[in-house]
């Protein structure tokens, strides 16, 4: 699961508010929902304490009515009974769903217009408390989820990699931005729409909220009290409702996923392939955006890939895929996929699109397969027929890794407004440009009348943004979709 999926009481009500349940969505979309994937964890070997109900102290002293069996030590006439021992072999952890897209760096850098709310202060204090024990918090969170809701376990893949903490990170990321409605809405709406492809159902929503509170109660015990709990319940309520509403709105005009047949598979290097697919129905997207892909060989494992072309009349979609070590999806797409195979696509996402209302030039930095969305942007400008200066810096480790250079040079030969400069960090690159990509770009600056677009490894994006800002470019004119969790997973 790449993000939060639980809703609490009605917006505007905190802990202690009357509702139909602790985290009960009040506007769930109609019909069945695919269960989104979550990272998993192993059950702790010691007994699991029950999560105390969310609400005020008075509410916690009242009978909450029938509830699911809890993993805490139940009581009977003979006193406490020990919790059953965890299985000798813990359940395998499911592979993560695609990571959440963090709020854009340019938005995070925006100064606060007002002081933090009281809830935001309490939430930040909680996050600081659990930071040193994040791994334990994550493991406990998933242990609670699967012990309390064993019926969910069978909906996850059998194996799991090291990125099982994505869901908890997404929850904490959203909570950290609880005071910024603009960032929060954009971030969570994307996640809510994207979760439709996992089959999320409204009755699964309470599980995540209860287990989140349980994990925080245990590992933030030094700061946890009724006031902190109330802040998290209110934050979680707002977070969940945004996602539910976005999914419901998206359901009215888009399917949860698209089937797509591979029509061509062109190896470019030993570990890079250009893959073209034909969706089973129209797939609307913008040049510069990305989507998520699932292969038939690894069900419920989704990975992000950018579109390598602008929308085409024939409806084909093109992706550049680099196989990486232990990359389940990337390895399958590069080494196993063939024409005729059918994959699934999630909805398009991303804000790295061209603003066609301005005549500003485009400064494009593409590193490795990050050149794919840059190529799409170039095609988009060409299709609009406006002579806007576009300067592309194509970075790679060596000449051999500049796998799409000939295509870009061909575009430059047809369009006088396009300049393409290959840059290599090792050896001597074609055209004589050698060194870190951001430093080379800075040497050709400044870029006063340009909007910048960056795509590639997170280190390149971070250093590129820093370099451009130091060179005088306003941060609001720098666009990128930095998916650090995705790149960290290496797939």
């Amino acid at each position: 699961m790449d993000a939060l999926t639980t809703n609490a009481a009605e917006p505007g009500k905190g802990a202690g508010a009357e509702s139909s349940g602790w985290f009960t969505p009040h506007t769930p979309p109609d019909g069945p929902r695919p269960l989104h994937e979550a990272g998993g964890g192993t059950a702790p070997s010691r007994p699991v304490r029950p999560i105390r109900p969310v609400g005020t102290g008075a509410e916690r002293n009242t009978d909450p009515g029938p509830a699911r069996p809890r993993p805490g030590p139940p009581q009977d006439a003979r006193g406490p009974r020990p919790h059953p021992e965890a299985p000798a072999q813990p359940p395998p952890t499911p592979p993560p769903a695609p990571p959440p897209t963090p709020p854009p760096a340019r938005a995070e850098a925006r100064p606060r217009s007002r002081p933090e709310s009281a809830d935001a202060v309490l939430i930040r204090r909680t996050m600081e408390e659990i930071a040193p024990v994040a791994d334990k918090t994550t493991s406990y969170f998933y242990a609670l989820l699967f012990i309390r809701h064993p019926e969910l376990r069978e909906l996850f893949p059998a194996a799991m990699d090291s990125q099982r903490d994505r869901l908890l990170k997404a929850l904490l990321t959203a909570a950290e931005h609880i005071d910024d409605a603009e960032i929060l809405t954009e971030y969570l709406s994307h996640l809510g729409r994207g979760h439709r492809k996992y089959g999320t159902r409204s009755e699964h929503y309470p599980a995540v909220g209860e287990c989140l509170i349980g994990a925080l109660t245990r590992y933030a015990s030094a700061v946890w009290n009724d006031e902190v709990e109330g802040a998290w319940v209110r934050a979680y309520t707002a977070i969940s409702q945004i996602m539910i509403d976005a999914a419901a709105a998206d359901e009215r005009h888009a399917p949860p996923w698209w089937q797509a047949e591979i029509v061509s598979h062109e190896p470019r290097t030993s570990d890079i392939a250009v893959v073209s697919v034909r969706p089973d129905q129209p797939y609307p997207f913008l040049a510069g955006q990305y989507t998520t892909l699932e292969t038939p060989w690894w069900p419920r494992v989704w990975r992000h890939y950018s579109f390598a072309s602008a929308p085409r009349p024939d409806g084909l979609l093109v992706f550049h895929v680099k196989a990486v070590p232990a990359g389940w999806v990337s390895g399958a797409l590069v080494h196993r996929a063939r024409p005729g195979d059918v994959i699934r696509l999630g909805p398009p996402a991303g804000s790295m699109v061209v603003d066609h209302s301005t005549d500003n030039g485009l400064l494009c930095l593409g590193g490795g397969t990050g050149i794919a969305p840059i190529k799409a942007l170039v095609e988009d400008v060409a299709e609009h027929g406006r002579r806007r200066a576009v300067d592309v810096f194509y970075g790679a480790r060596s000449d051999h890794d500049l796998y799409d250079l000939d295509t870009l040079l061909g575009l430059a030969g047809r369009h006088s407004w396009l300049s393409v400069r290959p840059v290599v960090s090792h050896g001597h690159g074609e055209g004589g440009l050698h060194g870190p990509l951001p430093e080379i770009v800075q040497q050709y600056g400044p870029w006063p009348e340009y909007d910048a677009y960056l795509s590639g490894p997170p280190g390149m994006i971070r250093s590129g943004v820093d370099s451009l800002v130091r060179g005088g470019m306003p941060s609001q004119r720098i666009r990128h979709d930095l998916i650090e969790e995705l790149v960290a997973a290496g797939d």
Side-chain angles (χ1 to χ4, degrees), residues 19 38 88 94 141 178 204 208 226 262 271 283 286 301 344 351 367 395 419 429:
S19 69
F141 170 79
I178 199 65
H204 297 143
V208 175
D226 289 351
I262 296 176
D271 58 359
Y283 188 98
L286 298 174
V301 182
R344 291 207 297 182
S351 60
S419 172

Side-chain angles (χ1 to χ4, degrees), residues 37 94-100 157 159-163 166 198 271 290-295 297-306 319-336 369-370 456-458 481-491:
E37 295 182 288
M160 195 173 176
D161 66 14
S162 62
Q163 297 301 308
R166 285 175 174 168
Y198 302 124
D271 58 359
Y290 60 88
T291 186
T292 48
L293 304 183
E294 180 202 47
T295 71
W297 304 286
W298 297 104
R300 296 193 180 96
V301 182
W302 296 77
R303 293 294 183 266
H304 288 78
Y305 292 98
S306 295
F319 302 97
H320 294 182
V321 183
K322 178 181 176 65
V324 296
W328 296 354
V329 175
S330 65
L333 288 173
V334 171
H335 300 303
R336 188 168 183 174
T369 52
D481 288 312
L482 179 56
I483 311 171
E484 295 196 55
E485 294 295 330
L486 167 69
V487 180
D491 200 356

Side-chain angles (χ1 to χ4, degrees), residues 240-308:
S240 304
Q241 199 60 56
I242 293 171
M243 294 185 64
I244 291 171
D245 291 346
D250 191 60
E251 186 176 27
R252 291 194 288 268
H253 61 82
W257 64 76
W258 287 255
Q259 302 278 8
E261 179 185 357
I262 296 176
V263 296
S264 71
H265 184 279
E266 178 189 354
R268 292 290 183 87
T269 70
S270 61
D271 58 359
I272 295 177
V274 175
V275 181
S276 299
V277 305
R278 177 181 289 111
D280 61 347
Q281 54 187 305
Y283 188 98
F285 74 100
L286 298 174
Q289 289 190 305
Y290 60 88
T291 186
T292 48
L293 304 183
E294 180 202 47
T295 71
W297 304 286
W298 297 104
R300 296 193 180 96
V301 182
W302 296 77
R303 293 294 183 266
H304 288 78
Y305 292 98
S306 295
F307 299 103

